[in-house]
Amino acid sequence: MRQIILDTETTGLYVDQGHRIIEIGCVEMVNRKLTGNHYHTYINPERDIEAGALAVHNITAEFLLDKPIFSRVADQLMEFIGNAELIIHNAPFDVGFINYELAALKKSWQPLMHYCRVVDTLVLARQLHVGQRNSLDALCKRYSIDNSHREHHGALLDAHLLARVFLAMTGGQATLFGAQEAQEDKAKQNNNTAAVKIREYNLTVLKANAEELDAHTIRLKQLAEKGACLWLQEMSEA
């Protein structure tokens, strides 16, 4: 199975307000192993970038001035992801932006779902971790994936992190690294386990005296008058 883990960065949150894609990052995985093939590009959106978005990815409009517009990269992107299963975190966001960009071209592109099957890892995470935070950062922390180098969002970096998260959520990470690295991870885990000290306790057991037992029985009988008392039944059956 060929899967593509995909992420984008944009000028803002709302595609219906004319925001555009400024970065696309994709990594290829075949049979649950990263192949080393990837697709990455920055894109000139030909518009400004909102301050909130800039704070997230730190990609400036000045940096993007000499980058290609989307129409120049569309064919290469679609060739890379075509006929693959796309793994995307919060897929409606990225898919919505890509569909918007494709629809704006003169070429008669169909919506992305016409070419690829899409798996939304946010939906998967919410099913596995009900009521918990399921952002990419939260999932990295939950699955012990190092993202300390992620000072800002970046499409290619986030795609690599999401690949590790996806493998962890769907059956473990060993197939991501190969046998040698899997053994190293296992050795580290064993070392961490060995480093944990088992705390032993010397507990003193205090048994109830005859007076306390009588008081307990009386209380159970009072409860039984209001309804069935399982403790009293167990005492009588013992």
Side-chain angles (χ1 to χ4, degrees), residues 192-213:
N192 292 338
T193 302
V196 176
K197 295 182 179 179
I198 300 175
R199 186 178 297 175
E200 297 181 354
Y201 297 91
N202 294 320
L203 301 178
T204 302
V205 179
L206 298 178
K207 295 184 177 180
N209 57 37
E211 182 179 352
E212 291 170 334
L213 289 173

Side-chain angles (χ1 to χ4, degrees), residues 15 29 49 51 54 57 88 99 111-112 133 153 178 184 200 232:
V15 67
M29 188 162 59
I49 299 173
L54 181 62
H57 50 61
I88 307 174
N99 283 342
L112 196 59
R133 293 181 64 249
H153 289 211
E184 292 175 358
E200 297 181 354
L232 191 59

Side-chain angles (χ1 to χ4, degrees), residues 182-194:
Q183 290 175 358
E184 292 175 358
D185 282 354
K186 185 175 181 180
K188 291 178 183 178
Q189 182 177 358
N190 291 338
N191 290 337
N192 292 338
T193 302

Side-chain angles (χ1 to χ4, degrees), residues 3-233:
Q3 296 169 304
I4 300 295
I5 298 85
L6 181 147
D7 187 60
T8 66
E9 300 299 336
T10 63
T11 62
L13 294 176
Y14 305 107
V15 67
D16 58 355
Q17 295 180 11
H19 286 289
R20 307 289 300 274
I21 294 175
I22 60 174
E23 184 186 14
I24 301 174
C26 305
V27 295
E28 182 185 59
M29 188 162 59
V30 176
N31 296 327
R32 294 180 60 81
K33 293 182 180 180
L34 288 177
T35 65
N37 294 331
H38 70 272
Y39 175 82
H40 177 245
T41 186
Y42 291 103
I43 297 169
N44 182 351
E46 300 182 298
R47 59 154 293 160
D48 60 337
I49 299 173
E50 286 195 347
L54 181 62
V56 170
H57 50 61
N58 199 36
I59 301 172
T60 65
E62 290 76 18
F63 172 77
L64 298 171
L65 285 176
D66 62 345
K67 304 302 184 287
I69 60 177
F70 185 84
S71 62
R72 298 288 181 87
V73 303
D75 287 351
Q76 189 177 7
L77 168 66
M78 297 304 292
E79 181 180 356
F80 187 82
I81 68 176
N83 298 318
E85 181 178 75
L86 298 183
I87 310 298
I88 307 174
H89 200 66
N90 190 19
F93 179 87
D94 302 86
V95 171
F97 270 92
I98 293 175
N99 283 342
Y100 175 86
E101 298 284 1
L102 291 175
L105 301 179
K106 293 181 179 179
K107 187 172 181 177
S108 57
W109 287 106
Q110 299 293 320
L112 196 59
M113 300 288 282
H114 182 80
Y115 308 100
C116 308
R117 179 174 178 265
V118 177
V119 174
D120 190 343
T121 51
L122 180 58
V123 172
L124 177 60
R126 286 172 174 169
Q127 293 171 345
L128 294 173
H129 311 293
V130 179
Q132 301 182 54
R133 293 181 64 249
N134 289 300
S135 66
L136 183 57
D137 282 333
L139 291 171
C140 285
K141 182 177 181 181
R142 186 170 298 135
Y143 289 106
S144 300
I145 294 169
D146 182 15
N147 66 337
S148 58
H149 52 302
R150 189 188 188 228
E151 296 181 3
H152 294 93
H153 289 211
L156 189 59
L157 169 62
D158 290 0
H160 277 285
L161 290 173
L162 182 58
R164 299 187 64 178
V165 166
F166 174 73
L167 289 172
M169 286 198 299
T170 57
Q173 301 179 62
T175 50
L176 175 64
F177 307 106
Q180 180 178 354
E181 290 174 271
Q183 290 175 358
E184 292 175 358
D185 282 354
K186 185 175 181 180
K188 291 178 183 178
Q189 182 177 358
N190 291 338
N191 290 337
N192 292 338
T193 302
V196 176
K197 295 182 179 179
I198 300 175
R199 186 178 297 175
E200 297 181 354
Y201 297 91
N202 294 320
L203 301 178
T204 302
V205 179
L206 298 178
K207 295 184 177 180
N209 57 37
E211 182 179 352
E212 291 170 334
L213 289 173
D214 289 341
H216 180 65
T217 302
I218 292 171
R219 179 56 179 161
L220 292 180
K221 289 180 178 179
Q222 291 174 345
L223 293 173
E225 292 175 358
K226 300 179 181 180
C229 180
L230 296 178
W231 289 336
L232 191 59
Q233 292 177 11

